Amino acid sequence: MHLRAEAIVLAIRAHGEHGAVVRALTRCDGVQPGYVRGGRSRHLRPVLQPANAIAGEWRARTGEQLAALTVEPLHSRAALHGEPLPAAALAWVTALTAAALPEAQPYPRLYDALGAVLDAVEAAPAARGWATALVRYELLLLAELGFGLDLTACVVTGGEEDLGFVSPRSGGAVSRGAAYGYEARLFALPAFLTESGAADWPDILAGLAITGHFLARDLLTDRRADPLVARERLVAMLKRAVA
């Protein structure tokens, strides 16, 4: 096994006294794990930070063996880890991707979308500049893994007009008329999830409530549920920031 590719660092785990097992997302070969000799050294620690872009070279004698990975830095976002809100966003989105995606399966749309979210956080550390991109990324990840929401038509009537809610059971949109009397049992559907453009904070928080429900129910279950702590921390910080 020999692979060379640009990648986004997702997760790092200490291995032995000085090494590290790194999981990184490539565009054409999906999530690839690898052992980095000296990965915890002073030289490599700044490179092996979640959300950094690297050029990686994976080598292994067989496909079942953990590959040896050598890395070169391409783009560092390490400075963002010193700012509480951007750091929480990077921690969540990389942990989500690492936990949800199977290894070695390509998801080019997710690779591009994750890069766009990270670029947005870097370009505008104020959450208003990247929060909508984060919600859309979570929706795309659900869709790519087979748990997409249908926000194009009412799950009750089939109509495409006056959509205002989302069913927590089916993940389908519900029109305001069909939702009458049951609004408290449904999620409010923010306009930015069905239309282009910016969103205000109530809509952003409503979008996060929708994606959070389906991520926890359908993807981040059992052993993969640990990253939800990072999401809860991020959402709490966002609510405090806009209170």
Side-chain angles (χ1 to χ4, degrees):
M1 180 268 197
H2 182 206
L3 170 66
R4 298 186 67 174
E6 295 184 5
I8 299 169
V9 177
L10 300 178
I12 305 97
R13 176 171 56 86
H15 189 282
E17 291 188 15
H18 306 292
V21 175
V22 176
R23 288 166 58 82
L25 179 64
T26 67
R27 191 175 195 278
C28 297
D29 295 278
V31 175
Q32 293 289 335
Y35 172 73
V36 180
R37 186 183 299 274
R40 296 160 62 196
S41 68
R42 183 179 300 178
H43 172 66
L44 285 179
R45 272 202 308 267
V47 177
L48 298 177
Q49 292 285 325
N52 280 359
I54 60 168
E57 185 170 4
W58 290 259
R59 290 181 179 271
R61 292 183 178 180
T62 68
E64 292 74 29
Q65 182 185 30
L66 178 64
L69 171 61
T70 57
V71 301
E72 295 180 8
L74 292 180
H75 181 69
S76 175
R77 298 183 174 93
L80 292 174
H81 290 281
E83 303 179 41
L85 198 50
L90 299 188
W92 158 242
V93 76
T94 52
L96 165 64
T97 307
L101 295 189
E103 292 181 0
Q105 295 190 24
Y107 292 95
R109 293 180 66 201
L110 284 175
Y111 177 86
D112 293 343
L114 177 59
V117 173
L118 299 176
D119 286 346
V121 176
E122 188 173 18
R128 185 68 176 269
W130 49 259
T132 55
L134 175 63
V135 177
R136 291 190 174 108
Y137 178 75
E138 292 177 343
L139 277 178
L140 176 62
L141 187 143
L142 284 163
E144 289 284 292
L145 294 177
F147 299 100
L149 281 61
D150 183 1
L151 306 180
T152 61
C154 177
V155 71
V156 179
T157 66
E160 300 179 358
E161 303 298 325
D162 200 28
L163 302 177
F165 299 90
V166 175
S167 166
R169 287 188 178 183
S170 68
V174 182
S175 68
R176 288 181 174 81
Y180 182 75
Y182 297 93
E183 293 90 344
R185 302 182 186 180
L186 305 171
F187 290 113
L189 174 59
F192 80 96
L193 293 186
T194 56
E195 305 169 3
S196 59
D200 57 19
W201 275 113
D203 277 358
I204 292 170
L205 294 176
L208 287 167
I210 293 170
T211 53
H213 169 78
F214 291 103
L215 287 170
R217 190 192 75 176
D218 297 329
L219 283 183
L220 301 181
T221 59
D222 301 328
R223 290 180 300 171
R224 295 191 295 178
D226 290 349
L228 286 172
V229 175
R231 191 180 197 275
E232 292 169 1
R233 185 182 306 116
L234 172 61
V235 172
M237 292 175 69
L238 289 173
K239 289 180 177 178
R240 288 196 298 270
V242 302

